[in-house]
């Protein structure tokens, strides 16, 4: 295979965007974003989307291409991203896939687990239970129906808990029973690169990034989105904490400290996910671009 997909992963705030741009320039190729938070055009500051200056340095795809009001699944992304990659490989030997959303990276590099079709009424009933009783009630139901998935899912991720319950109730089988089927073989070579640092450096970079977001107007961005806070796209770090401030449940300083704390926790979960993939070659965030590009070149032979 003479077509190579460079998949760049790592925790939030580690410098993946900068590295991907430099590698895109080095290998004369384009970038496919697999960061699910950066898909939404209404969310710019809180998702740390690439700046106009960064976007101008290399061609990007799937950055702010949909609305928070759109229905968009990881399955939709898998199809669209693979189509785009196939298109890019018609004229280039390399393409770059980048993101901190492990599920979306895996969708492209490994393929998704397939689940049965679920009656929409099941989804409606779960949503009603959530609206009345909150996430805790759904968590307890998932614990009963699928203790295996309960032990490993992010229980604060409402969308994933609800999705797992849909499958459990709609199919009569545990959600976990549909996971880890044989993965799909892709028609291109996949070179996986991980970027990391010591925990202290990662956390310090996260704290600095949140401070910059606040300086750049995160409060104003979230205030404009307040009428839509019920949407799943906005149930994410950096937005849900400011909603608490706008609801007068928290003061602004506490909300900011919670964003930092929850982002640090998110980064820890990202690393746990990515470290499980033994095919990933890890580099320090300050490693020279020449060292990383040399590894890629050797891996593409």
């Amino acid at each position: 295979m003479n077509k190579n997909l460079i998949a760049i992963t790592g925790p939030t705030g580690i410098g993946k965007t900068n590295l991907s741009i430099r590698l895109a320039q080095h290998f004369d190729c384009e970038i496919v974003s697999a960061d699910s938070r950066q898909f939404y055009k209404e969310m710019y500051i809180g998702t740390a989307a690439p700046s106009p200056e960064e976007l101008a340095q290399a061609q990007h795809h799937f950055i702010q291409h949909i609305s928070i009001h759109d229905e968009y699944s990881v399955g939709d992304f898998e199809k669209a991203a693979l189509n785009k990659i196939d298109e890019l490989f018609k004229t280039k030997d390399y393409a770059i896939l980048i993101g901190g959303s492990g599920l979306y990276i895996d969708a492209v590099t490994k393929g998704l687990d397939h689940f049965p079709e679920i009656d929409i009424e099941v989804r409606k009933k779960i949503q009603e239970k959530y609206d009345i009783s909150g996430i805790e009630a759904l968590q307890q139901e998932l614990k009963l129906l699928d203790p295996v998935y309960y032990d490993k899912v992010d229980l604060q991720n409402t969308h994933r808990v609800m999705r797992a319950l849909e499958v459990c109730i709609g199919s009569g089988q545990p959600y976990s029973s549909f996971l880890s089927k044989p993965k799909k073989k892709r028609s291109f070579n996949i070179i996986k690169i991980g970027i990391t640092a010591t925990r202290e450096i990662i956390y310090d970079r996260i704290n600095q990034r949140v401070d910059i977001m606040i300086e750049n107007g995160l409060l104003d961005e979230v205030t404009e989105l307040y009428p839509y806070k019920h949407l799943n796209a906005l149930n994410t770090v950096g937005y849900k904490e400011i909603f608490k401030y706008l609801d007068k449940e928290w003061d602004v300083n506490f909300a900011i400290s919670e964003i930092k704390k929850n982002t640090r926790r998110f980064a820890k979960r990202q690393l746990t996910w990515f470290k499980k993939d033994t095919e990933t070659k890890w580099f320090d965030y300050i490693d020279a671009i020449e060292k990383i590009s040399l590894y890629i070149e050797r891996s593409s032979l």
Side-chain angles (χ1 to χ4, degrees):
M1 291 181 286
N2 62 348
K3 303 298 180 180
N4 302 277
L5 181 68
I6 306 165
I8 303 174
T9 60
T12 186
I14 199 65
K16 296 186 296 295
T17 296
N18 178 60
L19 175 63
S20 68
I21 291 170
R22 296 177 70 190
L23 288 176
Q25 293 170 341
H26 179 86
F27 289 102
D28 184 28
C29 63
E30 299 182 12
I31 298 169
V32 173
S33 173
D35 191 319
S36 61
R37 286 162 39 96
Q38 295 179 0
F39 292 165
Y40 302 105
K41 57 188 175 184
E42 297 90 347
M43 301 164 66
Y44 173 68
I45 298 172
T47 62
S51 67
E53 293 76 19
E54 289 171 324
L55 292 173
Q57 294 178 56
Q59 181 65 51
H60 288 69
H61 304 278
F62 303 102
I63 296 288
Q64 298 181 303
H65 67 296
I66 58 173
S67 169
I68 57 174
H69 303 285
D70 294 335
E71 288 285 336
Y72 194 74
S73 69
V74 64
D76 295 327
F77 173 73
E78 179 191 18
K79 293 173 187 174
L82 288 173
N83 286 338
K84 176 56 66 176
I85 290 167
D86 286 342
E87 177 188 321
L88 296 176
F89 281 153
K90 289 178 181 178
T91 56
K92 305 287 184 180
D93 289 334
Y94 291 89
I96 293 174
L97 180 72
I98 173 182
S101 304
L103 182 62
Y104 287 73
I105 292 284
D106 285 355
V108 175
T109 59
K110 302 177 181 179
L112 291 172
D113 295 296
H114 288 282
F115 299 92
E117 290 291 326
I118 304 299
D119 191 321
I120 194 170
E121 290 302 316
V122 173
R123 180 176 302 173
K124 289 180 179 178
K125 289 179 181 178
I126 293 172
Q127 183 66 53
E128 289 172 3
K129 185 169 185 175
Y130 172 72
D131 293 340
I132 295 171
S133 305
I135 186 64
E136 293 81 8
L138 301 188
Q139 292 168 347
Q140 289 307 307
E141 186 171 7
L142 180 61
K143 186 175 184 179
L144 289 172
L145 296 177
D146 191 350
V148 173
Y149 191 65
Y150 174 88
D151 284 340
K152 65 181 182 179
V153 69
D154 174 7
L155 292 171
Q156 299 308 311
N157 188 316
T158 305
H159 176 73
R160 290 188 185 172
V161 172
M162 293 176 78
R163 175 58 179 155
L165 277 178
E166 282 179 21
V167 174
C168 290
I169 296 169
S171 70
Q173 301 177 57
Y175 180 85
S176 57
S177 68
F178 296 97
L179 301 176
S180 301
K181 304 295 184 186
K183 300 305 181 183
K184 297 174 185 174
K185 183 70 175 175
R186 298 306 189 198
S187 62
F188 44 80
N189 185 38
I190 299 172
I191 304 166
K192 297 178 181 179
I193 301 294
I195 306 302
T196 191
T198 64
R199 179 172 296 185
E200 291 75 19
I201 289 174
I202 292 171
Y203 287 0
D204 184 58
R205 287 174 67 91
I206 286 170
N207 292 340
Q208 291 181 42
R209 172 182 270 194
V210 173
D211 287 337
I212 292 171
M213 288 177 177
I214 297 299
E215 292 173 10
N216 288 344
L218 180 60
L219 292 178
D220 291 336
E221 178 175 86
V222 180
T223 300
E224 289 184 10
L225 294 171
Y226 183 80
Y228 314 110
K229 68 174 187 173
H230 62 283
L231 296 176
N232 183 64
L234 292 167
N235 182 29
T236 188
V237 178
Y239 293 82
K240 60 185 181 182
E241 295 86 356
I242 301 298
F243 289 146
K244 292 275 192 180
Y245 160 65
L246 296 174
D247 285 331
K248 298 184 174 14
E249 295 183 35
W250 295 345
D251 66 39
V252 67
N253 290 327
F254 183 73
I256 293 170
S257 70
E258 286 294 291
I259 294 174
K260 293 178 178 179
K261 181 184 77 176
N262 290 333
T263 306
R264 293 193 298 267
R265 287 178 173 174
F266 176 57
K268 185 177 179 181
R269 292 196 301 272
Q270 287 176 304
L271 281 171
T272 298
W273 180 298
F274 292 131
K275 290 283 189 178
K276 288 187 293 186
D277 193 331
T278 57
E279 296 177 355
T280 300
K281 171 67 174 177
W282 289 91
F283 293 90
D284 192 86
Y285 82 112
I286 58 172
D287 278 341
I289 185 72
E290 292 80 10
K291 178 179 179 180
I292 299 174
S293 59
L294 180 60
Y295 172 78
I296 293 170
E297 287 165 0
R298 288 175 173 171
S299 300
S300 61
L301 296 176

